[in-house]
Amino acid sequence: MGLSCHWLSDPLAGMWLCTLLPVLFGCPSGSALSGARAWLLPRQSPHFDRPGDVIVGGSFSIFRFSNGTLSNFTAPPAGLQTSSVSMWGYRVAQSFVFAIEEINRSTHLLPNLTLGFSIRNSGDSAHGALYETMGFLTGQEEPIPNYTCQHGSPQAALVGDTRSSLSVSMARLLGLYKFPQVSYSSSLPSLSDKIQFPSFIRTLTSDLTSSHAVTQLIIHFQWSWVIILAHDDDFGQQASSLASQVLTPAGVCIEFYLYVPSHQSLGKIEETVRKMQKCTARVVLVFLSNYNFQLILYGLLAVPVSGQVWVSKDTLHMALALTIPGISQVLQGTFGLLYHSSRAIGFPEFLAHLRPSQTPEDMFIKKFWEFTFDCMWPYQNITVTEGVQFCTGNESLKNKPHPFPELLHVLRKVHFKTPDGSEIMFDANGDLVTKFDIFQGQKTPDGVFHLVCVGLIDPQASSGNKMMVQKKMLKYQMKHAQVPTSVCSESCLPGFSQVPRLGAPHCCFDCSPCPEGQFADQRDMKRCLLCPKEQYSSHTRDHCLPRTEIFLAFEEPLGFILALVALLLAGLAVLVLGVFLKHRDTPVVRANNRTLSYFLLISLSLCALCALLFLGRPTVTTCLLRQTTFAVVFTVAVSSVLAKTLTVVLAFKVTRPRSRIQICLSPGTSTLVVLIASLIQVVLCGVWLATFPPFPDKDMLSEPQHIVIQCHDGSGATFFCVLGYLGFLAGGTFSVAFLARDLPDVFNETKFLTFSMLLFCSVWTAFLPLYYSARGKSTVAVEIFSILASTAGLLGGIFIPKCCIILLKPEKNTSSWLRQGHHV
C-alpha cells in the first residue's frame, strides 16, 4: 500500500502528549485508547478532502453535537450525535475551499505548487476539535498520539477554530509539535502569549487590541464623562483596566465601573440597571457578551433612562441592540467596530454555482443543503410523506446571505496583498495587523436606527502604543444626525478657565472668567494665559489686543487747556511786572522792596511756563528739566515771599537808628536770602541729576489698555528731599507771614502774603495724596494743576490787590493819601 508508519520526530513532545491526552480526552492512556474510541466521536467521522502537493487542514463548526446523557461509568458512553447544521460554519468552510482554489489558480502566489485540503468538523466542541486535530496530524481515523501513518503530501498548517475555547485546546496540542495553527475567529487575549501558544496565529486582533481601539472613539469624540460596563471575568477586568489606562491620561473621567457576572444573574442585572439610572454620564463603554448586553438594555427600558450612547468593540452588539423594540427610548445612538476586511472578489459567484453533484467528496454538503433549503434527499428506504419537499441539487445559494470575511489570507504567514489591494501581515504575537471600521447607529425621527460607517481606526497610523483615529466622517443622509456629547461639566468657552470642584473628578469643574490682563483663546483651558506686556486682554478675554502708547499731549483737550492756562498765567505775571516797572516810583510799588517784587513776578512767570515741560511725549531732556526746573523756580518764588515777609517783620523791630536790625533791612540782605535759599535747592537738584536722574519710562500697570509714557523720578529719596525742602521753605514762610499779619502800618502787606501762602500750602498738601493715587497720565495732570493753582494763588494773592490800586484807584497810590493814615 506504500504506507510509511513512523513516530513524530520530537520525543519530548511525545512524552508531553502522552501525559496531556488523558486530561484532554478524559480517557486512560496507552492501550485503553483503542477500546474507548466509540465514545469520543462516531466511527467514520465526516470530512472533506482534496489532494495536493501540500495539505492544509481546516477545523470548522459545521455540525453541532448534542451532549447526550452523562456516563454512569458502567459502559462506554454513546458517541456524540449531530443536532443541527451551522449555516455560518459551512459557509466559512466553503470560503476556505474558495481561497485554496484561488491560490492554485494564481500564477504568482504559489507557482508550480498545488494546495490540497482536509476539512473536518469540530462540532463546536472541544472534544471534537481535539479529536479531529489529532486525526489530521496522524492521518488515522482512530488517531494514536505521537504516531503517524500516512502517505503522500506533507501537511503545512491547520486552520481553525471558531470559538476561543476550542482554539485554546487545539493550540496547546499543536504547540507541542510547533505545528502552525491559524484561527479566523478566536480573539482571546491569552492566545497572543507565544510562550503558551508558540505556533498559534490568527487573522484578527485580540480582544484587548480591539478594546484599545474602541477607547480611541471616546477620545476622538471628546467624551470626557463615561461609564464602563464589563464582565467580572478576566477579560472584563483586563479590558476595563486597559481602557482606564488609556482614557485617564487623555482627560477622560470614569463615573462608574459596573461589573456584571459572566454567568446568568438576573439579580446583578437589576442592580446594575439601578446604578445606571443614577448615572449622569451619557456614554457607556461596553465589554459584555451579547446575552448580558441585551438583558441590561431590556432592564433599562423599564426605568426612566434616555439619551445614552453605547460604545462597543463589537458591531454585532450594536446590530442586536438596535433590533430590540422600543430601544430608541434608551439609546440616542451606538458606536461599534468591525474589522476592516477586504472584499472576497468572486466568492459570491462561487457560492451561487455550488452544487452537491460537483463535489461528491464533500461529506457535509448534503446535510447543509437540507437545512438551507428545507428539503430532503430522496433515499430508497425513506417513506415519502405528504408535504415533504425533495432536494434536487439544483437549488442556488445566490440570494442567501453570507455574513463572513475573506479567508484568503489565513493560508499565508507572510506580508502580501489580496486581489483587491488590501495588505495582509501579522504582528510579533501572531495577531493580524488590521484596521477597524467605525459603525454608528444613527436614529431617525421615527426612532429607527441605521448602521452607517462613519470612520476608520488604523493602529499602525501612529507612533508608540497610541492609536490615531483617521477622520473619515461621511455626510449623513439625515440632517438631524450628530455626534452626541457626554461631559460632567459643560465646556468652558474661550475667555473662561476651568476651576476644579472640590472633591469631584477633574472632569467636573466650574467656568471662571479670565481676569484683566489674561486670556483664554480655546475651550476648556485649565488656566488663563498672560497677555504680553505690549498687549491687553479683550473685553471677552478670548484674545489680546495691542496696547496704544499714551501721554498728556498738547493736542488733546486737557493738555490744550492746561497749556493755555499756563501761558495766560505767565502772560499775566509779565503784564503785572510791566505795570510795576511803569509805576516803580509809586508808594504801592516801592513798599516792601520792589526788587523782591520783580524777582517774585519773574519766578511766577517761570513757574507757569515750567508746566509746559510736563506736556508732550517725555524725552530724556524734558525728564531731566521737569522736576528740577519746577523745584528751583518755585524755591525762588517762595524764598522771595519769605524775604518780603521778613522785611515787614524786621521793619517793626527797629527801635533805634543804625541798629543791627536796620542793617538787615537793606535791599542786599533780602536778595541774599533769596540766593542762599535757591542755592540750597540747586545743590539738591544737582545731586539728584548726578546720582540717579529722571528718565523716560513705560508704565504697563496703570491702564490695562494703554502704555503710559512717563518720566520716572529716578532716585525717589532725592526727589523727596527736593520736595521736602520746598515744603519746609513754604511752611516757614507761611508761619512768619501768619505771625506778622496784624502788624499796624500802612505799608504792611503781610495779610496778602499770609493768604497767598495759605493757598500755596493748601494746594501742595492736597497734591501729595492725589499724585500718588492717580494713575497714568492723570498723574501728570495733577502735578500741572498744582503748579498752575499755586502760581495763581501767589500771583493773585499778592499782586492783584496792588494792581487794582495802581490801575483803578490811582488816588490811593499817593504819599499824601498814605500820610493821612489810610492803609493800602
Side-chain angles (χ1 to χ4, degrees), residues 244-389:
S244 179
Q245 294 174 16
V246 175
L247 295 177
T248 300
V252 179
C253 295
I254 312 301
E255 184 179 13
F256 287 110
Y257 293 89
L258 302 177
Y259 293 102
V260 181
S262 54
H263 59 277
Q264 184 175 350
S265 175
L266 294 180
K268 187 65 176 179
I269 294 292
E270 293 176 358
E271 180 183 347
T272 302
V273 169
R274 287 194 298 269
K275 289 181 178 179
M276 293 185 68
Q277 187 179 357
K278 300 177 182 178
C279 295
T280 58
R282 300 178 63 190
V283 171
V284 183
L285 183 56
V286 184
F287 302 108
L288 292 179
S289 66
N290 293 337
Y291 181 73
N292 282 331
F293 190 96
Q294 295 183 75
L295 281 181
I296 292 180
L297 284 177
Y298 275 113
L300 291 175
L301 282 173
V303 297
V305 173
S306 62
Q308 289 193 343
V309 178
W310 282 36
V311 182
S312 173
K313 68 180 186 64
D314 192 349
T315 299
L316 179 60
H317 283 43
M318 303 296 103
L320 294 174
L322 300 182
T323 60
I324 298 176
I327 196 60
S328 59
Q329 301 175 20
V330 175
L331 297 181
Q332 180 181 349
T334 61
F335 284 88
L337 300 182
L338 187 66
Y339 295 109
H340 186 71
S341 56
S342 58
R343 188 170 63 90
I345 301 175
F347 184 62
E349 293 77 11
F350 173 83
L351 275 184
H353 292 89
L354 185 65
R355 298 292 185 272
S357 59
Q358 297 174 354
T359 54
E361 70 273 25
D362 187 351
M363 302 175 66
F364 308 105
I365 190 169
K366 286 191 175 183
K367 196 71 173 177
F368 167 77
W369 216 258
E370 289 182 345
F371 273 80
T372 302
F373 297 104
D374 193 20
C375 61
M376 181 178 294
W377 292 101
Y379 298 104
Q380 294 180 353
N381 58 347
I382 294 180
T383 303
V384 178
T385 59
E386 186 178 356
V388 175
Q389 180 181 355

Side-chain angles (χ1 to χ4, degrees), residues 556-637:
E556 60 182 289
L558 180 60
F560 178 77
I561 293 174
L562 292 176
L564 183 60
V565 172
L567 293 175
L568 290 176
L569 284 177
L572 182 60
V574 172
L575 183 60
V576 172
L577 177 61
V579 172
F580 269 52
L581 288 175
K582 182 179 180 180
H583 302 85
R584 58 183 178 276
D585 295 326
T586 61
V588 171
V589 175
R590 295 178 60 188
N592 300 107
N593 198 330
R594 58 186 173 187
T595 303
L596 287 178
S597 296
Y598 299 156
F599 274 126
L600 182 55
L601 286 170
I602 294 173
S603 63
L604 289 178
S605 177
L606 295 176
C607 286
L609 292 177
C610 79
L612 299 178
L613 294 173
F614 291 84
L615 295 173
R617 185 183 183 91
T619 62
V620 175
T621 303
T622 56
C623 286
L624 291 174
L625 295 177
R626 275 185 180 182
Q627 302 292 359
T628 52
T629 303
F630 152 75
V632 171
V633 295
F634 265 89
T635 300
V636 173

Side-chain angles (χ1 to χ4, degrees), residues 627-663:
Q627 302 292 359
T628 52
T629 303
F630 152 75
V632 171
V633 295
F634 265 89
T635 300
V636 173
V638 173
S639 60
S640 298
V641 175
L642 175 62
K644 290 175 68 69
T645 306
L646 289 174
T647 300
V648 175
V649 173
L650 294 177
F652 285 94
K653 297 292 185 179
V654 177
T655 55
R656 58 181 183 273
R658 299 187 179 275
S659 64
R660 185 176 300 175
I661 296 178
Q662 188 176 7
I663 296 174

Side-chain angles (χ1 to χ4, degrees), residues 28 97 113 174 347 487 500 517 532 547 689 705:
V97 175
L113 184 68
L174 295 171
F347 184 62
V487 294
R547 300 169 70 173
L689 295 179
Q705 301 181 11

